[in-house]
Amino acid sequence: MTTTALTAELQSFADTVVERKLKNGLTVLLIPREGVATVHFAFAFGVGAVDEPDGRTGIAHLYEHMAFKGTEAVGTKSWRKERPLLRKLDEMDGAMMAERARGPAADAGRLERLKKRFDRVEAQAEKLVEPNEFDAVYARHGGQWLNAFTSQDMTCYIIALPSNRVRLWTAMEGARVRMPILRQFYRERNVVIEELRIGRDSPQWRLYEELGVLAFTAHPYRIPVVGWLSDLQRMTRTDLEGFFRSRYRPDRAVIAAVGAIGKDTFKLIEREFSGWKVPGEPARPVVTVEPEQNGERRAVIHMQANPALAVAWPIPTWGHPDKAALDALSSVLGNGLSSRLHAGLVKKRRVAVSAAAFTEFPGERYPNLLTIMAWPRAPHTPAECEAAAYEEIETVTRDGVSPREVTKVANLLEAQRFQQLQDNTFMAAELAGAQATLGDWRTRLRWVGDLRKLTPDDVLRVAREYLVPRRRSVITLLPTGSPASTPAVPAASIDPLLPEHPDA
Amino acid sequence: MTDPRKLKFPRLEVKPREATRHVLRNGIVVHAVEDHSLPVVNLGILFRAGTIHDPADRAGLGSMTATAMRLGGSRLLPGDALDEEMDSMGSSIDTGMDDDQFSLYGWTLARHLPRELELMASVLREPAFPPEKVELTRLQELEMIQRRWDNPQQVASLQFRRAVYGPSSPWGRLGTAAQAKAVTRDEMVSLHRAFCRPETAIMTVAGSFETAALLRDLERFLGDWNPGPATPAPVPEPGGALPPGIYLVPREIGQANIRIGHLSIELDHPDHCPLKLLDMVLGNGTFNSRLFRDIRTKRGLAYSVWSRIQPRALVPGTFTIGCGTKYETLDEALPAILGHVKDLRAREAADDEVKLAKDQLDHGLAFEFQSAWSVAWRAAWYEYSGLPADWLMREREGVLAATKADILRVAKAHLHPDKLILVFVGDPAKCRPALERFGTVRELPIPDQSSG
C-alpha cells in the first residue's frame, strides 16, 4: 500500500503526538492536551484471543481479569506465606480435574475429600489477601476508570490519574508487568464464567458469536473472545502464568499517555520500563489462513427474542490495497441514516427497524468480515430483510456508486475518526491499540487519505469481487418455537414501496 | 523496587474550568466552553418537557414527537435530505424525550458548525412532520415496543421501574402498541408547539469555536424565535407501586438477573450527600465497594453487581442494587446482598472504606474539569434541574464532610429492608426453590403490550 499524506486536520492532530521507543522495543506515545490536569494512560499489548493455544480459549481475557489481583507487594498481607498455599491449591485443583476426567469411573468420595481440603486451603489463602488493593492504591490517589479490555487482537489496560501522579502509574504498572501474582484465581474464573453467561443471554452477543463460528472454519477468529465454557472450567493458574510469560513482552507493548504531559513524563516511564527484559523469541504469530469459501453457509439461532439477521463476506485487512475501498463500500451500504441499507430497508421498504454494515469483525489484525445486520420489523421476517439487502447490494454491483457518495462516506469516516479521539481515555486506548495491533498508530489516520483517493470504480470493483453469494455466511436469529428454518422469500413478495407523501 | 503504596504526592492544585453563560435576546440560555485541541464541536439543548406529561391514553406521544422531529426534518430541509446532508458532513443531530426532558444533541466538525446550528434551529423551530415520516416514526415505535423485552438485563430494569413507580403511573408506565397506533400527526404538531419554546431552552456548546462568532450564529438562527407565555405543566406524582416482595419474571435464560430496591430521595433532600457517600461504600464506584468486594471478588458469584442511589429533581429517585448470578448460587448471593443492606443500618462503616471513597473523590477533583463538554453540560444540567451554579463544589464538600455516623443515620432513614421490591428474571423452575425460602414469590409477567 502506498503511504498517503494525512488530511490537514488529521496532520495537525498527528503533529501533537510524540513517539519514542525504548531499547527493549517498548513504544511510548505522548499526546499533550491543553487545559487539563489529568493524564490518561493506556497500556496495550499485542496479544489477544487469537493468540490462545488450543483448549485454552478465553485465556487472554481471563488473564486480563487476573492482572488486577496485584503483585508481590500489592494485594497481600504476606506473599511469603501466601505462596505455598497457592501452589497447594493448584495441585489440588489438578487432582480434582484428573479425577473428574475419569468420567463415570471418578471416585466421588475422593472428589469430595479433595474439595473440602481445597476449600480449607482457599480460606486460609483468602485471609492473607488484601482484596482489590491494586484498585485501592489508584483510588486513594483519585484514579478514575481503572479498567481493561481484551479483543481478538489485543489487550489494553486503562487508568486516568491526576497529572502529578505519573510516578504512581509507573510503579504500579512496572510491577504488574514484572511480578504479577495471580491470587484468588479460582474465584475469578467463576466471575468470568458469569460474564460469559450474561453474554450468552443477549441476542446481540449470540448473533456475533454464531457469526464468527460460521464464517471462520480454521482461523482463530472463529472463537469468541470470552472462550468456551468447558475450556474456562479447566483453565489453571499455571496455564495463565505460562501465557503471561511468553506473550506479555516489551516489544509487543505500547504505552500511550494523553493529557497534562510534563517534562518528566517520558523520563519516569523510561526509568521504570527500560529494565523490562525481552523474554526470548516471540511466540509464533497466527499462521493459519482461512481457506477460501466456496459455497454459502447458513445457521439459525433460536432465542426468546425478536428476529435478527447477519450476513457476512470475508475481506482482507490492513496492508491490502482493497482495504479502504471495502470500508467505503461498507459505509455506502450501512453507515448512517442516508446509507443504502437504512434508506432501502428501513425508510422505503419498511421491512426493518434498523440496518447497518461494518467491517473489522471479529478483528482487524487478520482478514475479517464485511458484515451487514438487519433487525426485521414485525411481521416482516429475516428472509425478507435478506432478500431486500441483496437487492440493495445488486444496485451497487450493477449500477455502481456516485462520486458524491464516495466523497460522502470519506467525510463521514473522517468525522467518525475525530469522534473516537475526543475523549482522552479513548484517544489513549485508540492510539496504543493501533500501534500494538497494526504496528503504527498513524495507520487509521493515513487511511482517511486513502479514502479520499478512491473513485466510484474502486468501490464498484470491490463490491463485485467480494460480495458474492458463494462466499457469504448467513445467521438468522428466530424466536424460540418458530420453525427451524424459514423459506427464502422471493424479492417480489416484499411490500410495495409506500408512496411518497406530497408534503415530504 | 518502589512499593507504590508508600509513594506520597503533594495535593494537586486544580484550576477550575468554568463554562461561560450567555443569554440570547429571546432568553435562550447558552453555556459554552471553548476547547481547540480537536477541530470538533459538541452541542446539546434541553427543553422543559417529558413523557410524564403524555396523556393517559397516549403514552409514547412525547418520544414519538421527538423522533418525528428529526426523521421528518424541517421546512428548511426535509428528513431524507437532512439525513443526506448530515452524513455528508459527518455530523449528527439526535432528538429524544425522556421522563422529564426533551433533548437535542449534535456533533460536528468545527468547519461545519454554522450549518449544523442552522439545521438544529430549523428542526427545533419548524419541524415539518410530513405524514410519511410520522408513519415511519409510528412503525419504528411499534417495533421498539415489540423488542423492548429482548435483553434480560433490560427486562429486569424495566420491570423494576414499573414496580417501584407503579405500572400505570406516568413515571412507571410503558407505551403500548394500541397507544402508538392512536397517536396522530395533529397531536404531535400541538405537543411540539406547546413545549418547544425558547423560554425553557438551555443550551450547551463545547469544542473548537470562537464564542463571539458562536453567539452571532445562535442569535441569527434562534434569536428571533419569539417566546410565549411559559405555562409549566404540573408534575404528576408516581403512584400505584407494587407492594414490597419478591417478583419473578419468567424467562428461560442461563442466569438470574436481579434488581432490588425501592424509591429514594429527591435531589434537594438534605441527606443527599451522606447518601451519596453511602452508595459509594455499598456498591457505586470502585472494585472496593462492599458489593463488588464480597459478591464478586471474594465469592466469585457475579460479574455484574452494583448499587445506585439516583435522586431525581421532580419526584423521589430510586435506590437499586443490580446483580446477575447463576441459579445454583442464587441462595448464596441473595442473603449476602440483603445482609449488606441490613449491615449498613446496624453498624457504622469502617474508617478505611469511608476514607477510600472520600480520597478517590477528593483527589479526583481534576477529573471534573478534564472535558470541555462535561464542564459545559454540567452547568446547563444544574440550571435545568434548578440546582445552584456552584452545586459541584457544594456537593463535593457535602460528601467529604459526611462521617460514618452520618452514613449510619441516613442508612436507617433511607434504606428500608422491609420495603424492598425484589425483581428476578430467570427460569422459574430454577429460581423458585431458592426464592421461596425468602418469602412468597409472585409472578410479574411481561405486560401485554398490544392493548391498553
Side-chain angles (χ1 to χ4, degrees):
Chain A
M1 194 165 50
T2 52
T3 303
T4 310
L6 300 183
T7 62
E9 278 157 333
L10 282 168
Q11 183 64 54
S12 68
F13 165 71
D15 288 344
T16 65
V17 182
V18 178
E19 181 180 350
R20 298 281 175 81
K21 203 168 201 119
L22 305 191
K23 285 204 184 82
N24 57 11
L26 175 69
T27 306
V28 181
L29 304 173
L30 304 169
I31 306 98
R33 304 273 90 186
E34 275 167 37
V36 297
T38 55
V39 194
H40 303 246
F41 288 101
F43 203 164
F45 298 85
V47 49
V50 287
D51 300 305
E52 295 167 345
D54 278 351
R56 300 286 182 275
T57 64
I59 194 170
H61 170 248
L62 180 53
Y63 183 82
E64 172 231 294
H65 272 244
M66 292 305 299
F68 290 84
K69 296 300 182 184
T71 61
E72 289 176 14
V74 175
T76 185
K77 294 187 173 79
S78 163
W79 167 232
R80 198 178 48 77
K81 288 186 195 152
E82 203 183 359
R83 185 178 203 164
L85 296 178
L86 296 189
R87 275 228 193 95
K88 217 184 272 179
L89 284 174
D90 296 341
E91 280 161 22
M92 283 187 285
D93 183 62
M96 285 192 287
M97 233 185 278
E99 192 62 50
R100 274 193 226 107
R102 296 172 59 207
D107 179 345
R110 178 161 184 261
L111 267 177
E112 201 176 312
R113 284 192 302 279
L114 277 166
K115 179 78 175 81
K116 269 196 186 138
R117 264 178 56 208
F118 181 92
D119 287 348
R120 210 165 45 234
V121 179
E122 198 182 31
Q124 279 177 314
E126 188 66 27
K127 284 198 191 112
L128 296 167
V129 172
E130 281 293 344
N132 298 332
E133 194 181 23
F134 194 83
D135 164 80
V137 173
Y138 275 136
R140 213 166 277 143
H141 289 279
Q144 305 281 328
W145 308 306
L146 177 67
N147 212 332
F149 51 90
T150 307
S151 72
Q152 291 284 357
D153 298 336
M154 62 134 178
T155 311
C156 186
Y157 298 83
I158 56 169
I159 175 81
L161 288 165
S163 59
N164 62 345
R165 261 74 166 173
V166 175
R167 177 72 189 104
L168 178 71
W169 186 84
T170 58
M172 290 285 279
E173 303 301 321
R176 173 142 77 162
V177 296
R178 258 172 293 180
M179 46 173 193
I181 302 302
L182 310 182
R183 52 177 66 89
Q184 296 179 305
F185 168 72
Y186 300 94
R187 297 300 161 116
E188 199 61 30
R189 194 172 62 181
N190 288 338
V191 169
V192 168
I193 289 170
E194 291 302 320
E195 189 177 358
L196 176 142
R197 285 198 175 92
I198 295 178
R200 293 198 57 109
D201 284 343
S202 144
Q204 288 260 9
W205 197 93
R206 284 295 305 281
L207 206 56
Y208 282 110
E209 177 185 294
E210 296 290 336
L211 183 58
V213 167
L214 186 68
F216 294 91
T217 58
H219 192 273
Y221 275 167
R222 71 187 185 281
I223 300 159
V225 171
V226 72
W228 302 120
L229 177 64
S230 49
D231 288 4
L232 287 172
Q233 284 167 333
R234 283 163 190 76
M235 203 82 77
T236 69
R237 224 167 60 87
T238 324
D239 292 334
L240 265 72
E241 284 171 344
F243 184 78
F244 168 77
R245 270 196 304 273
S246 63
R247 297 293 186 167
Y248 276 67
R249 0 175 353 113
D251 52 356
R252 299 302 309 275
V254 182
I255 292 168
V258 177
I261 306 297
K263 284 198 181 73
D264 59 345
T265 305
F266 178 71
K267 272 186 217 140
L268 288 169
I269 293 173
E270 187 181 35
R271 195 182 307 154
E272 181 70 40
F273 292 99
S274 57
W276 181 17
K277 291 199 178 61
V278 182
E281 285 302 299
R284 200 171 71 149
V286 176
V287 294
T288 307
V289 176
E290 183 65 25
E292 190 176 305
Q293 181 177 344
N294 251 316
E296 185 190 67
R297 297 180 191 148
R298 303 187 77 90
V300 178
I301 311 166
H302 286 279
M303 280 187 92
Q304 213 175 333
N306 284 285
L309 169 78
V311 185
W313 294 263
I315 54 165
T317 194
W318 299 102
H320 192 283
D322 292 342
K323 169 72 177 154
L326 284 160
D327 290 325
L329 170 64
S330 165
S331 269
V332 164
L333 290 174
N335 186 357
L337 298 181
S338 73
S339 67
R340 301 246 184 159
L341 290 174
H342 188 90
L345 274 64
V346 179
K347 293 202 283 197
K348 284 206 202 93
R349 298 168 204 251
R350 302 186 168 182
V351 293
V353 66
S354 173
F358 48 91
T359 58
E360 296 174 8
F361 172 77
E364 56 175 322
R365 209 160 103 192
Y366 300 98
N368 48 73
L369 302 172
L370 189 158
T371 307
I372 62 176
M373 285 195 177
W375 288 266
R377 185 171 65 72
H380 299 284
T381 61
E384 286 175 81
C385 287
E386 190 184 343
Y390 295 159
E391 279 193 15
E392 293 298 334
I393 290 170
E394 237 180 81
T395 62
V396 172
T397 52
R398 192 182 55 227
D399 310 330
V401 299
S402 66
R404 191 190 46 77
E405 224 172 350
V406 177
T407 309
K408 176 176 82 176
V409 299
N411 290 347
L412 182 59
L413 289 168
E414 178 176 8
Q416 287 170 347
R417 206 86 292 282
F418 276 111
Q419 221 161 359
Q420 272 155 342
L421 294 174
Q422 63 182 357
D423 174 274
N424 290 332
T425 292
F426 272 55
M427 185 197 287
E430 164 73 25
L431 296 184
Q435 180 75 30
T437 307
L438 312 172
D440 189 348
W441 57 271
R442 294 172 199 84
T443 307
R444 245 180 221 293
L445 306 183
R446 288 201 183 113
W447 162 84
V448 172
D450 295 335
L451 291 167
R452 295 242 170 261
K453 288 195 293 197
L454 291 172
T455 67
D457 281 348
D458 294 329
V459 178
L460 175 62
R461 183 185 56 77
V462 295
R464 284 179 178 164
E465 186 177 335
Y466 291 92
L467 302 190
V468 293
R470 71 184 165 82
R471 289 210 193 119
R472 71 189 173 216
S473 295
V474 183
I475 304 277
T476 308
L477 188 150
L478 296 171
T480 312
S482 46
S485 66
T486 47
V489 175
S493 73
I494 288 168
D495 277 1
L497 301 187
L498 289 157
E500 293 285 321
H501 195 277
D503 283 3
Chain B
M1 190 160 300
T2 318
D3 183 343
R5 292 170 301 183
K6 303 208 168 106
L7 289 171
K8 297 256 189 296
F9 299 91
R11 196 183 173 75
L12 183 68
E13 288 307 319
V14 176
K15 211 172 95 209
R17 210 169 164 190
E18 303 275 359
T20 53
R21 184 178 184 278
H22 313 270
V23 183
L24 304 186
R25 70 190 127 121
N26 58 354
I28 294 182
V29 173
V30 181
H31 293 276
V33 174
E34 283 187 34
D35 179 343
H36 299 279
S37 50
L38 284 175
V40 306
V41 181
N42 281 283
L43 52 94
I45 187 162
L46 296 175
F47 288 80
R48 216 159 284 288
T51 56
I52 51 165
H53 302 298
D54 287 350
D57 58 353
R58 287 289 188 280
L61 169 62
S63 64
M64 285 170 70
T65 303
T67 305
M69 285 168 68
R70 171 63 185 82
L71 292 187
S74 63
R75 295 199 196 286
L76 177 67
L77 204 60
D80 290 339
L82 178 63
D83 292 346
E84 186 69 32
E85 187 166 342
M86 283 286 126
D87 286 347
S88 301
M89 299 194 295
S91 309
S92 64
I93 286 179
D94 295 301
T95 48
M97 199 180 287
D98 294 337
D99 294 339
D100 51 7
Q101 60 171 268
F102 166 87
S103 60
L104 178 150
Y105 293 104
W107 186 94
T108 186
L109 288 174
R111 60 173 184 262
H112 301 304
L113 181 58
R115 181 63 173 165
E116 171 85 2
L117 294 173
E118 184 176 19
L119 292 173
M120 173 200 77
S122 76
V123 164
L124 293 171
R125 296 180 64 170
E126 39 175 26
F129 296 110
E132 176 228 351
K133 296 295 182 191
V134 168
E135 199 46 36
L136 178 61
T137 301
R138 185 192 323 282
L139 293 175
Q140 296 291 88
E141 178 77 8
L142 289 170
E143 187 60 25
M144 299 316 275
I145 290 170
Q146 171 106 358
R147 290 178 175 267
R148 198 182 265 158
W149 308 102
D150 278 2
N151 189 310
Q153 301 206 59
Q154 194 182 335
V155 171
S157 296
L158 287 177
Q159 289 289 56
F160 177 75
R161 181 187 134 112
R162 293 179 72 233
V164 294
Y165 281 112
S168 43
S169 95
W171 296 90
R173 71 185 164 187
L174 297 166
T176 65
Q179 289 174 325
K181 281 179 187 153
V183 167
T184 67
R185 179 180 182 274
D186 285 349
E187 287 169 349
M188 289 184 179
V189 170
S190 13
L191 177 63
H192 165 262
R193 205 173 285 147
F195 86 79
C196 207
R197 319 258 349 135
E199 62 271 16
T200 74
I202 298 177
M203 192 169 181
T204 308
V205 193
S208 184
F209 54 83
E210 303 297 333
T211 304
L214 170 77
L215 292 171
R216 265 198 310 278
D217 284 337
L218 287 174
E219 285 290 2
R220 193 167 123 220
F221 300 127
L222 291 172
D224 61 346
W225 186 11
N226 290 326
T231 47
V235 175
E237 292 290 319
L242 300 187
I246 301 173
Y247 294 90
L248 177 58
V249 189
R251 184 84 160 208
E252 279 163 36
I253 46 178
Q255 186 194 49
N257 279 269
I258 309 170
R259 296 291 181 276
I260 297 173
H262 50 58
L263 288 186
S264 188
I265 58 164
E266 292 184 28
L267 205 47
D268 58 1
H269 194 287
D271 288 341
H272 168 74
C273 291
L275 263 178
K276 193 168 168 142
L277 184 61
L278 176 151
D279 192 26
M280 289 156 79
V281 168
L282 176 60
N284 188 358
T286 70
F287 289 46
N288 280 291
S289 66
R290 288 186 184 185
L291 291 174
F292 195 106
R293 190 139 81 158
D294 181 36
I295 309 296
R296 176 165 156 162
T297 308
K298 189 174 148 211
R299 301 175 190 258
L301 299 181
Y303 172 75
S304 166
V305 59
W306 45 266
S307 72
R308 294 282 180 281
I309 294 176
Q310 286 175 302
R312 305 184 76 138
L314 302 178
V315 288
T318 48
F319 157 58
T320 318
I321 290 174
C323 179
T325 190
K326 59 185 174 296
Y327 302 113
E328 298 90 301
T329 45
L330 200 47
D331 59 354
E332 183 183 350
L334 182 54
I337 290 170
L338 297 176
H340 286 293
V341 177
K342 288 181 191 140
D343 194 63
L344 280 168
R345 293 168 42 92
R347 60 189 64 83
E348 284 187 349
D351 289 323
D352 58 354
E353 58 183 342
V354 175
K355 184 170 183 319
L356 181 65
K358 285 194 197 177
D359 278 349
Q360 184 173 30
L361 182 75
D362 192 18
H363 292 293
L365 177 63
F367 289 99
E368 307 283 9
F369 310 108
Q370 62 98 18
S371 131
W373 169 256
S374 66
V375 171
W377 167 251
R378 186 166 56 221
W381 173 245
Y382 287 171
E383 184 159 352
Y384 184 83
S385 308
L387 292 165
D390 61 350
W391 177 243
L392 174 72
M393 297 316 279
R394 280 205 219 181
E395 187 190 44
R396 291 179 63 90
E397 280 158 23
V399 175
L400 293 175
T403 64
K404 54 187 182 175
D406 292 327
I407 295 178
L408 180 61
R409 179 181 59 77
V410 297
K412 284 180 177 165
H414 300 288
L415 304 186
H416 308 291
D418 56 328
K419 290 187 187 154
L420 290 173
I421 284 183
L422 302 93
V423 173
F424 298 84
V425 182
D427 188 335
K430 294 173 182 163
C431 281
R432 272 191 176 275
L435 298 183
E436 276 166 355
R437 294 171 39 204
F438 296 91
T440 312
V441 178
R442 275 167 282 199
E443 284 215 355
L444 184 62
I446 283 165
D448 174 19
Q449 311 174 94
S450 54
S451 58

